[in-house]
Each structure stands twice: as structure tokens, then as C-alpha cells.
Amino acid sequence: MKVVVVGATGVVGRKMIQVLEEHNFPLTRIYAVASEKSVGTKIPFKQSEIEVITPEEALLAKPDVALFSAGATASKRWAPKFAGAGTTVIDNSSAWRMEPQVPLVIPEINGNILKTSHRIIANPNCSTIQMLMAIAPLHQKFGIKRIVVSTYQSVSGSGKKGIEQLMNERNHKKGPKAYPHSIDLNVLPHAGDFTENGYTTEEEKLVNETRKILNDKDILISATAARVPVTGGHSESINLELKKPWAMEEVIFMLNQMPGLVVQDDPKNNVYPMPITAQEKDDVFVGRIRRDSSVKNGINLWVVADNLRKGAATNAVQIAEYLINQKLLGQ
Ligand SMILES: NC(=O)c1ccc[n+]([C@@H]2O[C@H](COP(=O)([O-])OP(=O)(O)OC[C@H]3O[C@@H](n4cnc5c(N)ncnc54)[C@H](OP(=O)(O)O)[C@@H]3O)[C@@H](O)[C@H]2O)c1
């Protein structure tokens, strides 16, 4: 299996290479691609290093799998070229997610929609992945009528430049800005770009991607996305209005059954999910599970995950592993 990571010098790309190594992914050769300015950069892999090459060079190698994390513009340009050469592309950007013919996949939830013929597969947005890991089992059992979600997103969600701005501010250094205001000691009610309707692109992704993955256009969703001065790990406050009455034991049972989801809920002992404890973990964590008596069948959850892992790199590698295990990789 020849694998190429496109965007290999970025925070997600580097994590993809790390996750491939940790998962002992069955590869015979790995290629690293980034923009022109990074060609020749060395990226550590196992006991060795991979040298960054151009997309054109990687294309000539006819890789079996391409993991893309190079942004939407690069993905729009290069993903069809790799797909045309027979490579199965798993893309982390927003370029293909809402294309009707492109599957948008969280393997534990809807891996079963994948087919051998799919040459471009989209990885959902980080905030969508962790929310759905916690709410999909409840949707299956009780049906979700309405979701109100507020995110507290880390600066690594904005890539290298987000971490750089936070660290520069902490060290009283000047540098390029990822955000229009200071992020250290601050909270920005602004993640992504503002759209005509007053919501941001990050908020719209939560709405549209949730409906596509759960294959349910009727779910009502209201999202607010905020950026917080945390280096890694997104947190989410999720309020659900379920269609059917629920009991706490059933909810805990369903959440415990979900692969890749860990219930961390012992508030009396100060046990609940936090970015600091979720960092570098492939799992998604759920806690603060409690009834919302202000609406019929209401429930509140607090969900945390490492946005670079299950929110991006881990989910992409798991899609590739799913394709291999189900013998779905294109011929
Ligand atoms: N960060 C997250 O939590 C997260 C989560 C889910 C999805 N994503 C998505 O993943 C993608 C990458 O995000 P990131 O956070 O890793 O950003 P990043 O740290 O800024 O990295 C961007 C990567 O893309 C490469 N790149 C840029 N233009 C390119 C081009 N024309 N051809 C080839 N490579 C190019 C960059 O190479 P150079 O180093 O040479 O510039 C770098 O390797 C984005 O689409 C983002 O929306 C991010």
C-alpha cells in the first residue's frame, strides 16, 4: 500500500503521519507533499524521515491512498487528479463535504455507505465529528428533534498560524495574525468566516454536515462556534431535545456501547471531559450528562476531543482502515 499525505507539514498532516505510524498502518511506501516552499523539508516517520515532494511527483508514484489536509483550494485542484489516477482520496478540507456524490464519513456511524467506486471521500469538520460521536447513538435510540450546540474551539483548529498567534501573544512577540483580535486571555465568538445570515462557516458546517451524516434533513440545529485560548482539543456544550422519553441508565448504556466514545461523568469527584486530558487521545469524551427539564425529553452533554486526532487525522486513517478491512479499496 502506497500512501501519500498531502499537507504533510501542517498540524493535521503531521498528526496523520504520526497516527499512521501508531496504528501500524499496512504501508509499503509513504510520500509527503506540501506547498512549493516546503519541498525538501524532512518529516520524521518511524526511525527515519520522509522528504517533502511536489504533488506532481507524488502523482507519478500512483499511490493507493491519499490523505489530504492542505486546505480546500489545494484539494479542489489536486484531489480529482489523484482520483483520476486511481488513488482513493480521503480529504479533510471542506472542498467536497457537501457534494451529493461524495460520502461524508465517520466510520463508526456511517462507514457502511462506502463503496469501492468512491474515489473521493470527505472527512467531516472536527466539531461535527466529535458531536456526532456522542449524539448518533442517542439519535438511533430516541430520535433527535433539535440540537443547540456551542463550541469552544482550540487554536490548533486554525492550523499552524492559530498556535503561532497564541504562543506569540503569550511570549509578548510580534507575528502574523490568524484572528482579528487577541486570542490569549480572550474568547472570540467567531470561528470561520461570517456569512450573509450572521452565522459563521464553522456554524453552518455543524448544521449541514450533521444532517448529511445522519441522513435526516429534518433535525433542527442551532450552532454557535467560539475560539478559546486552548492549544489543542475542542469542547462542546450540547443540548438535545429527543423525540422519545429517555432514562439516564439507557443513555449511559447507549453511550458506553459506542466504539471510540468514552463516558467520563463523575462530577462529585470532579471527573468530566477536558481538552487537557483529551489531548493526544484518539477517543471522544462525554460527560456532564444531565436532564434538561426546560424542554420535553431534554438532555445536556459536554463533549471533548482532540481536534487534530478524531477531529481530523484519526478519522481519516480510520476511513482508510475501514476500506482495507471491508476490501473496498479501489482496484
Ligand atoms: N486543524 C484542525 O483541527 C483541522 C480539523 C479538521 C480539518 N482540518 C482541515 O485540514 C486542512 C489542513 O489544516 P491544518 O490545520 O493542518 O492547516 P496548516 O497547519 O496551516 O497546514 C496546511 C498544510 O497544507 C499545505 N498546503 C497549503 N497549500 C498547499 C498547496 N497548494 N499544495 C500542497 N500543500 C499545500 C501546507 O504546506 P506548507 O507548510 O508548505 O505551507 C501545510 O502542509 C484544512 O483544510 C483544514 O480545514 C483542520
Side-chain angles (χ1 to χ4, degrees):
M1 185 92 41
K2 288 185 282 186
V3 177
V4 57
V5 175
V6 182
T9 51
V11 290
V12 173
R14 284 180 188 272
K15 195 58 74 184
M16 281 171 165
I17 291 170
Q18 194 185 331
V19 172
L20 286 168
E21 182 173 343
E22 287 169 7
H23 286 209
N24 213 7
F25 191 86
L27 49 82
T28 49
R29 188 82 200 264
I30 182 164
Y31 303 89
V33 165
S35 77
E36 205 64 54
K37 73 174 192 294
S38 301
V39 170
T41 304
K42 304 263 186 6
I43 314 255
F45 180 70
K46 297 199 170 166
Q47 310 307 327
S48 179
E49 284 177 328
I50 330 162
E51 193 170 312
V52 172
I53 56 174
T54 62
E56 289 89 344
E57 287 174 279
L59 203 47
L60 288 176
K62 292 196 182 304
D64 301 285
V65 175
L67 302 178
F68 266 67
S69 67
T73 309
S75 183
K76 280 274 185 206
R77 177 169 177 208
W78 289 103
K81 293 195 166 70
F82 278 88
T87 303
T88 299
V89 173
I90 301 168
D91 181 48
N92 255 281
S93 78
S94 55
W96 307 98
R97 290 181 189 146
M98 297 315 294
E99 293 289 328
Q101 77 284 5
V102 173
L104 182 64
V105 174
I106 303 170
E108 296 89 336
I109 298 172
N110 65 342
N112 60 347
I113 65 170
L114 289 169
K115 297 195 185 86
T116 315
S117 56
H118 289 137
R119 280 291 186 271
I120 299 181
I121 298 163
N123 212 48
N125 178 249
C126 39
S127 301
T128 311
I129 294 179
Q130 68 179 71
M131 176 169 86
L132 289 199
M133 286 291 289
I135 70 170
L138 304 183
H139 184 54
Q140 200 191 350
K141 175 88 178 163
F142 307 103
I144 294 173
K145 185 173 161 199
R146 180 168 186 252
I147 304 167
V148 180
V149 53
S150 300
T151 70
Y152 305 67
Q153 299 182 206
S154 70
V155 295
S156 63
S158 313
K160 288 185 281 195
K161 59 186 188 309
I163 301 173
E164 207 180 334
Q165 179 175 338
L166 177 63
M167 289 310 160
N168 281 341
E169 286 175 7
R170 284 195 181 160
N171 297 317
H172 308 288
K173 279 179 22 193
K174 287 207 162 66
K177 300 276 182 209
Y179 310 112
H181 302 282
S182 295
I183 184 65
D184 195 21
L185 307 172
N186 204 4
V187 174
L188 306 181
H190 178 182
D193 301 318
F194 284 106
T195 66
E196 287 293 303
N197 59 18
Y199 286 85
T200 68
T201 46
E202 285 288 297
E203 291 161 352
E204 292 195 329
K205 286 173 195 171
L206 273 157
V207 175
N208 299 330
E209 295 179 20
T210 296
R211 290 183 177 147
K212 178 165 175 175
I213 296 164
L214 294 181
N215 195 22
D216 188 338
K217 291 192 172 56
D218 298 328
I219 295 186
L220 303 169
I221 309 168
S222 182
T224 303
R227 189 73 62 189
V228 295
V230 167
T231 48
H234 291 355
S235 305
E236 293 177 344
S237 164
I238 302 171
N239 176 263
L240 300 178
E241 211 177 321
L242 301 176
K243 289 182 181 162
K244 294 184 194 157
W246 58 274
M248 188 58 86
E249 307 74 58
E250 279 179 297
V251 162
I252 302 283
F253 178 81
M254 295 304 293
L255 297 176
N256 271 321
Q257 291 294 302
M258 179 71 180
L261 183 72
V262 176
V263 177
Q264 253 178 8
D265 197 24
D266 184 8
K268 288 201 179 74
N269 289 307
N270 304 323
V271 174
Y272 33 70
M274 295 181 290
I276 214 162
T277 44
Q279 233 181 336
E280 290 304 331
K281 309 259 170 47
D282 278 340
D283 290 323
V284 173
F285 300 88
V286 56
R288 300 293 322 278
I289 304 163
R290 61 213 192 276
R291 188 171 291 279
D292 172 14
S293 308
S294 71
V295 286
K296 201 173 169 193
N297 307 322
I299 185 168
N300 279 314
L301 309 170
W302 177 254
V303 175
V304 180
D306 185 328
N307 50 294
L308 299 180
R309 283 192 175 252
K310 186 58 183 170
T314 300
N315 197 68
V317 172
Q318 287 172 333
I319 291 173
E321 288 169 338
Y322 187 96
L323 293 171
I324 294 168
N325 293 339
Q326 300 296 319
K327 304 201 179 351
L328 290 172
L329 259 191
Q331 307 300 312

